[in-house]
Amino acid sequence: MRPQARLIRGAGLDVRLTWYRPGERMTPHAHDCHQISWLLGGELRESGGAREHDVVRSSRGVKPAGFRHANVYGVSGALVLAVDIDPAATICAGSPGPGEWGWGASRADTPIEILRLATAPDVGSEGSAMSLTDLAACALEPVPGAKSGGSDRAPLPLRWLDRVREQLRDDPDEPDLASLADQAGVHRVHLSRSFRQRFGLPPSRYRLRCRVSRAIADMVGGTPLADAALAAGFADQSHFTRAVRTHTGLTPHHLRALLAF
């Protein structure tokens, strides 16, 4: 059973924070609700119809009710915040249409605000209707310039960037940009620019994201926080805490408490 915190259930909303284990797969399936998701840590690949999204940065995914899709999660797992919205709920104004599946850019503060609203002390009380409305509005807010469809897979001429990504993710020695550029036969500035265009973030931020994901995976396995931070290459506990909070909006202690690590 995967670690999961159900933060809200009711009033047409179901909000969950879920850790998907490294390499976990979900066979083709559909939901009877609209689902808005944020990838807070790790990586995932989602396919539906003839398209596929390879998601490696903090991103927002939109799936209308009934859309059939499959998922594969990255080698370090994935931390996903999901908001399910009942299509029949009055709170559902502005919900996605049948063809609006896709992953794209997200405002960095949106998932953090949703987590704040979902974990507020009064969220289950009768007086929380305004908070629930605010939460739904955050989830359904359109993102200017975000992609609404298409594939995030690289064309064949850019497969060298996939190899750079694998080295940044998997090499425990953390090779520097100059050596990666030499291996690829390009200038390091060209590598950095091409990597950002391909994956949506620069190599340095991607490597930090991978380190955070490895540490969370170790936490899931029961490793103490300090040991998980050290194994992932963080100099000290405060550095680790800042990195996790930047990527997920939560401290390591709060994240572990929510998912009952």
Side-chain angles (χ1 to χ4, degrees):
M1 184 175 180
R2 67 178 66 98
Q4 183 180 92
R6 176 159 267 133
L7 306 177
I8 295 175
R9 188 171 192 175
L13 290 175
D14 191 351
V15 182
R16 303 180 316 281
L17 183 66
T18 305
W19 171 255
Y20 295 91
R21 300 185 188 281
E24 185 173 343
R25 294 173 177 266
M26 297 183 70
T27 56
H29 62 287
H31 305 287
D32 58 4
C33 57
H34 304 308
Q35 186 175 85
I36 317 295
S37 305
W38 287 265
L39 180 67
L40 301 182
E43 304 174 10
L44 65 84
R45 183 175 300 162
E46 186 168 274
S47 57
R51 294 183 293 161
E52 184 176 85
H53 289 277
D54 193 7
V55 189
V56 304
R57 60 173 174 162
S58 296
S59 302
R60 175 180 183 257
V62 177
K63 286 182 284 292
F67 180 78
R68 192 167 176 79
H69 59 285
N71 302 88
V72 180
Y73 298 94
V75 297
S76 295
L79 183 66
V80 178
L81 174 67
V83 178
D84 293 346
I85 304 177
D86 184 346
T90 57
I91 207 168
C92 194
S95 59
E100 292 187 41
W101 166 66
W103 284 84
S106 171
R107 288 180 47 172
D109 59 343
T110 298
I112 295 173
E113 180 66 12
I114 288 174
L115 281 169
R116 187 190 69 79
L117 290 167
T119 57
D122 67 340
V123 74
S125 69
E126 293 182 1
S128 65
M130 184 179 294
S131 293
L132 294 177
T133 300
D134 289 344
L135 194 154
C138 283
L140 293 167
E141 181 180 15
V143 181
K147 294 182 290 183
S148 59
S151 173
D152 285 339
R153 297 290 289 160
L156 188 59
L158 297 182
R159 291 302 183 199
W160 66 272
L161 283 171
D162 289 333
R163 292 192 291 273
V164 170
R165 169 189 164 191
E166 290 168 2
Q167 288 177 282
L168 287 169
R169 182 189 66 200
D170 300 335
D171 193 332
D173 294 329
E174 296 194 349
D176 60 30
L177 202 61
S179 63
L180 291 172
D182 287 343
Q183 293 175 38
V186 299
H187 193 277
R188 62 180 182 273
V189 174
H190 177 70
L191 185 153
S192 180
R193 183 185 302 118
S194 300
F195 192 95
R196 182 167 185 167
Q197 290 172 346
R198 165 71 173 90
F199 297 113
L201 72 174
S204 57
R205 280 183 52 203
Y206 176 73
R207 180 156 57 189
L208 177 59
R209 183 178 178 83
C210 291
R211 291 166 63 193
V212 169
S213 299
R214 286 198 298 271
I216 293 175
D218 285 345
M219 287 163 53
V220 171
T223 302
L225 296 184
D227 293 341
L230 184 62
F234 291 97
D236 52 51
Q237 190 76 29
S238 62
H239 184 200
F240 175 53
T241 298
R242 288 195 302 272
V244 172
R245 181 183 289 153
T246 297
H247 283 78
T248 70
L250 302 167
T251 66
H253 290 281
H254 192 185
L255 181 58
R256 183 172 61 177
L258 281 175
L259 296 178
F261 290 163

